[in-house]
Amino acid sequence: MLPRLFVQASALFLCDTVFLSLLNAWWPSLALLGALAGWVEAALRLLVLGGLWGLLPLGRHSRVLLVTVATVVLLAPFYLALGRWLGDPPLLLSSAPRSWMLVGYVVGGLALLLWEVLGQGASTEKGKEGDKAAFWKVVKLFRPDALYLAGAFFFLTMAVVGETFIPYYTGRLIDILNTKYDSDAFSLAILPVCLVSLGSSLSAGCRGGLFTFTVSRMVVRVRHLLFSSLMRQDVAFFQEVKTGDLTSRLSKDTTMMSRSVPLNANILLRSFIKVVGLYGFMLSVSWRLTVLSLIETPIMLATQKFYDRRHQALLLEIQDSIARSGEVVRETVSSIETVRSFATEEEESQRYDAALKETHRLKNQRDLEKAIYLLIRRLFELGLKLLLLYFGYQQILGGLITKGNLVSFILYQMEVGSYVQTLMYIYGDALSNVGAAKKVFEYLRREPSVRTEGMLAPEVLRGHVSFKNISFSYPSRPDVQVVKNVSFDLHPGEVTALVGLNGSGKSTCVALLERFFEPQSGEILLDDIPIQEYEHKYLHRQVALVGQEPILFSGSIRDNIAYGVEDCSMEEVTAAAEEANALGFIHELEGGFGADVGEKGGQLSAGQKQRLAIARALIRKPKVLVLDEATSALDVESEAAIQQSVLSRQARAVLVIAHRMQTVENAHKIVVLEGGQVVEEGTHSELLGQRGPYFRLVQRSSTD
């Protein structure tokens, strides 16, 4: 790609050389225009090179060459005119040695190489546009805080204006001390310094307080929006995304993106006002020294731009690394019993240590690159200060400035350099933090595959469920069909048992009934109406699920039984616990219904947790009750008691999934699944008589 660019640049250079040779014949006439002659020459060059522009096959590099040519052409008259004002001929490039034109092309070529090295091609433009879009989305989230931000920016302006005047008055004090001492003049000069310093300090304090307050409000608001969005996602999303990643987005990324806009806007506005004010004072002191100090800007801009790209990439890698180490901790702690039973404590520690080392390596790389960048910047700043001191001393000897002027200029230059660097840095820093915002917005705008927009909530519901030709594949394995054309019914007042080997599709049918997923074909009807048309809360109050490994939340027993049920009385809680055969052990616990179950119910046994989970389902008075291995952890006596109280109710349809054949023997109907398909359906005695898949399951169960 670069050789082709150099060929095109060579063609432009040859054309430019011929044109300047012809233009040299008109030099006496152009010279009469004075300093304006250079700009006339530049305009003519642009016209000629513009004509050649349409003849070159520039392709996607046209913008790069356009910037290069414009730089080469316009830099020459600016530099030559400046040299003319300083008494340094020549006036026109056409009358100068060709080495002057060659210098211009060398500068343009370096700009071209820099353009390519810093990745200004089409491949990075799309990413930058995405960063900008995410940045403006973050800005829009601050609309509720507009009043606080306006106050913060007002105090910011007042503080910066006050800070800008301090070096000016400092220079005046030095000039007064350098002459015959005048106490009245000194007092008049020091009073503004005190007043400006006091006002600037008060304004800075108010600014900082308002910005901190705004950031805190934003963090709370974004976390609420993100958590609400996550709660609307389908189950497949949580199977694909690790918990550590989500907690990292909720904690670290939301804080980072909330701080990015107000703090970067604070720094940006402060730096801009300071740069304008400082350069204004510097020009008033010495325009020659000001022009000399400007050489710092383009060099540091290129260095800063390269550093920003590296810094942004490393920040994203560090965020992902922290999320991975957090996932290791969560997974290990939540599975500590499994870790202990397999004696893999050392292996888990090594896994976490490896994750920490990767994060540490990335942070070391970030810090090393920052140190190298700061070293280069400090060395350049030191060299520039030495030049300014030398030329400033020459101007003092020439009577152009005073000693106080030089001190004020140096103080201003020391400040303006850092603020110019900040202006160049703040854009890259804002976009670096936008990397975190992009991940947050990705979750905020994600639409769940399972919609919960149904509005139907009838006062009377019978509880008749129909599976009609259901076929389904999990999103993670779209090529594997777990359920194939499954059809069966659940009738009110009847117990239907769903049996089959592991992997036959039993739990998948339950997940589809609970609308954890959407089937690829077929539909599930509740009272002859598709379940997606029912209101979300209504559906899950009428269709209650008790799983094999129920999850309890930290809190009291009463809170767990009444979970999700509004305005629930203590009588209802007690009745549900009694129906689930849980009342006995609850009274034995210290605190009764107020006893704390611990994190995920860790203070209770497996059987106690299952009975509380059954009570949590029964308190909703559901029309459809699903027991997915819900009695597997119970003893025979408790299971019999629950079957007597739960399964004998005539007002609801009950779906039972169990490996114990004793649990399903008394069901009104048994549906047998094999390979994701319904292969048999009937009562226990009917299916035994057919001596088919169900008969083999019973035989295997009795053998086990």
Side-chain angles (χ1 to χ4, degrees):
M1 188 273 293
L2 286 177
R4 180 183 176 186
L5 285 176
F6 282 122
V7 170
Q8 295 166 348
S10 300
L12 289 172
F13 177 78
L14 180 61
C15 178
D16 200 14
T17 302
V18 173
F19 175 71
L20 287 175
S21 299
L22 297 175
L23 193 62
N24 188 38
W26 297 347
W27 180 80
S29 300
L30 290 176
L32 297 176
L33 298 177
L36 185 61
W39 297 100
V40 174
E41 181 187 64
L44 293 174
R45 290 176 68 198
L46 280 175
L47 288 175
V48 172
L49 295 179
L52 181 64
W53 194 263
L55 302 178
L56 291 176
L58 300 175
R60 70 181 182 90
H61 308 300
S62 60
R63 186 178 59 172
V64 179
L65 283 176
L66 174 62
V67 173
T68 304
V69 170
T71 302
V72 168
V73 172
L74 298 178
L75 184 63
F78 175 80
Y79 179 79
L80 296 177
L82 184 63
R84 181 69 175 179
W85 292 332
L86 296 176
D88 183 20
L91 176 63
L92 296 176
L93 186 62
S94 55
S95 62
R98 288 295 171 263
S99 59
W100 286 93
M101 185 181 71
L102 183 60
V103 168
Y105 274 88
V106 169
V107 172
L110 291 175
L112 173 61
L113 286 173
L114 186 62
W115 182 287
E116 292 298 324
V117 169
L118 296 184
Q120 289 293 333
S123 60
T124 59
E125 289 301 319
K126 184 176 180 180
K128 289 185 176 182
E129 289 300 321
D131 289 343
K132 292 177 182 177
F135 180 80
W136 286 111
K137 287 180 181 178
V138 176
V139 171
K140 291 178 181 178
L141 289 177
F142 277 94
R143 286 176 180 171
D145 304 310
L147 183 61
Y148 301 109
L149 288 175
F153 288 135
F154 170 77
F155 286 113
L156 167 66
T157 305
M158 298 300 295
V160 172
V161 170
E163 292 172 2
T164 306
F165 275 93
I166 292 177
Y168 170 75
Y169 287 114
T170 302
R172 288 188 58 185
L173 287 175
I174 291 176
D175 284 336
I176 291 173
L177 293 174
N178 197 43
T179 59
K180 184 178 180 180
Y181 180 74
D182 186 345
S183 60
D184 293 336
F186 183 81
S187 299
L188 290 174
I190 201 172
L191 180 60
V193 176
C194 296
L195 293 177
V196 168
S197 299
L198 179 61
S200 177
S201 299
L202 290 175
S203 298
C206 294
R207 174 209 65 196
L210 285 173
F211 274 122
T212 303
F213 179 71
T214 302
V215 169
S216 299
R217 282 169 51 92
M218 179 65 169
V219 169
V220 173
R221 189 162 56 250
V222 173
R223 285 180 178 174
H224 172 72
L225 288 173
L226 179 56
F227 189 76
S228 299
S229 176
L230 293 177
M231 289 299 98
R232 293 193 300 270
Q233 300 306 318
D234 50 88
V235 175
F237 169 78
F238 294 99
Q239 292 177 345
E240 296 170 2
V241 182
K242 294 184 177 180
T243 306
D245 181 72
L246 296 180
T247 54
S248 177
R249 305 304 169 221
L250 277 168
S251 57
K252 298 181 180 298
D253 291 1
T254 52
T255 301
M256 187 178 296
M257 66 175 282
S258 298
R259 291 170 57 88
S260 64
V261 171
L263 297 187
N264 284 312
N266 172 18
I267 297 172
L268 177 65
L269 182 59
R270 182 172 184 267
S271 300
F272 178 75
I273 296 174
K274 291 282 282 189
V275 166
V276 172
L278 292 174
Y279 271 124
F281 278 106
M282 289 168 65
L283 287 170
S284 67
V285 172
S286 174
W287 69 268
R288 294 176 177 85
L289 292 179
T290 303
V291 171
L292 178 62
S293 68
L294 288 175
I295 66 175
E296 178 184 19
T297 302
I299 296 176
M300 294 312 300
L301 177 62
T303 307
Q304 184 71 54
K305 196 167 188 178
F306 179 78
Y307 172 74
D308 284 343
R309 287 190 61 224
R310 290 288 309 156
H311 187 65
Q312 182 178 0
L314 280 175
L315 279 180
L316 292 175
E317 290 185 35
I318 290 172
Q319 289 172 20
D320 292 337
S321 177
I322 292 174
R324 287 193 294 269
S325 61
E327 176 61 24
V328 172
V329 173
R330 186 208 64 79
E331 188 177 39
T332 303
V333 171
S334 63
S335 308
I336 188 62
E337 293 181 358
T338 304
V339 172
R340 186 63 51 81
S341 65
F342 286 95
T344 56
E345 295 91 340
E346 187 65 29
E347 288 80 354
E348 293 299 331
S349 298
Q350 291 175 358
R351 190 159 69 104
Y352 183 59
D353 184 58
L356 289 180
K357 286 181 178 178
E358 175 63 15
T359 303
H360 183 64
R361 183 190 68 79
L362 291 171
K363 288 185 176 180
N364 284 342
Q365 183 177 351
R366 177 199 62 187
D367 295 339
L368 176 62
E369 293 184 3
K370 184 176 182 179
I372 294 174
Y373 162 73
L374 291 176
L375 176 63
I376 294 174
R377 192 177 77 178
R378 297 288 171 77
L379 289 175
F380 182 80
E381 290 174 351
L382 178 60
L384 180 62
K385 285 182 176 61
L386 293 175
L387 284 175
L388 289 174
L389 286 173
Y390 173 77
F391 287 108
Y393 176 71
Q394 297 297 323
Q395 291 196 14
I396 291 175
L397 294 179
L400 297 177
I401 59 174
T402 64
K403 295 178 181 178
N405 290 149
L406 180 59
V407 171
S408 295
F409 186 89
I410 294 299
L411 291 175
Y412 280 127
Q413 194 278 328
M414 290 173 62
E415 283 195 83
V416 77
S418 63
Y419 286 113
V420 170
Q421 294 297 324
T422 300
L423 282 176
M424 294 185 292
Y425 168 77
I426 199 63
Y427 178 74
D429 183 63
L431 292 187
S432 296
N433 291 329
V434 160
K438 288 166 69 176
K439 294 178 179 293
V440 173
F441 281 120
E442 179 182 344
Y443 292 150
L444 285 176
R445 65 171 177 263
R446 185 184 186 276
E447 293 294 334
S449 59
V450 179
R451 311 295 296 181
T452 57
E453 299 172 350
M455 301 297 293
L456 190 62
E459 294 183 2
V460 178
L461 188 75
R462 293 183 296 112
H464 177 216
V465 177
S466 298
F467 281 71
K468 300 290 187 182
N469 300 317
I470 296 295
S471 295
F472 173 75
S473 300
Y474 284 100
S476 59
R477 296 173 295 165
D479 54 332
V480 179
Q481 202 167 40
V482 183
V483 175
K484 308 170 187 176
N485 296 317
V486 168
S487 298
F488 62 89
D489 291 287
L490 307 179
H491 295 283
E494 292 186 1
V495 177
T496 301
L498 200 59
V499 300
L501 295 175
N502 289 334
S504 59
K506 303 185 300 298
S507 295
T508 300
C509 291
V510 172
L512 293 173
L513 177 59
E514 287 289 322
R515 300 208 67 224
F516 296 159
F517 305 94
E518 291 279 11
Q520 277 80 44
S521 63
E523 60 181 355
I524 301 175
L525 307 178
L526 178 58
D527 285 1
D528 299 324
I529 299 174
I531 58 174
Q532 59 266 26
E533 296 186 17
Y534 287 93
E535 195 270 331
H536 179 64
K537 286 184 175 293
Y538 177 85
L539 175 66
H540 288 89
R541 182 161 185 151
Q542 300 296 336
V543 181
L545 168 66
V546 183
Q548 180 178 4
E549 297 179 358
I551 300 297
L552 300 183
F553 297 92
S554 57
S556 68
I557 289 178
R558 184 192 187 285
D559 292 338
N560 275 276
I561 293 177
Y563 178 72
V565 180
E566 299 177 357
D567 302 325
C568 183
S569 67
M570 192 62 201
E571 290 75 15
E572 292 176 298
V573 173
T574 305
E578 183 177 8
E579 189 176 357
N581 197 33
L583 203 56
F585 85 82
I586 292 176
H587 287 318
E588 293 175 0
L589 296 175
E590 183 179 355
F593 282 95
D596 193 344
V597 302
E599 185 179 2
K600 293 186 178 181
Q603 301 295 331
L604 305 177
S605 67
Q608 291 171 338
K609 286 194 293 184
Q610 281 199 325
R611 277 179 276 182
L612 288 185
I614 293 173
R616 183 171 58 189
L618 294 177
I619 199 172
R620 288 164 164 75
K621 298 180 176 60
K623 294 299 182 180
V624 180
L625 179 63
V626 181
L627 303 176
D628 186 0
E629 297 287 353
T631 59
S632 60
L634 301 178
D635 54 65
V636 177
E637 182 180 350
S638 297
E639 182 179 5
I642 289 176
Q643 288 185 10
Q644 180 66 27
S645 61
V646 175
L647 304 185
S648 62
R649 295 296 181 97
Q650 300 300 312
R652 66 171 68 102
V654 180
L655 176 62
V656 175
I657 297 176
H659 284 94
R660 293 179 185 173
M661 290 298 105
Q662 307 93 292
T663 306
V664 302
E665 287 179 359
N666 297 323
H668 297 87
K669 180 174 60 177
I670 300 173
V671 179
V672 183
L673 292 178
E674 191 174 83
Q677 295 178 305
V678 176
V679 293
E680 283 185 324
E681 186 173 340
T683 64
H684 174 70
S685 58
E686 290 173 350
L687 295 179
L688 284 180
Q690 295 177 12
R691 304 183 68 83
Y694 180 76
F695 177 79
R696 292 193 293 271
L697 285 174
V698 173
Q699 291 294 105
R700 179 178 298 182
S701 176
S702 61
T703 303
D704 295 339

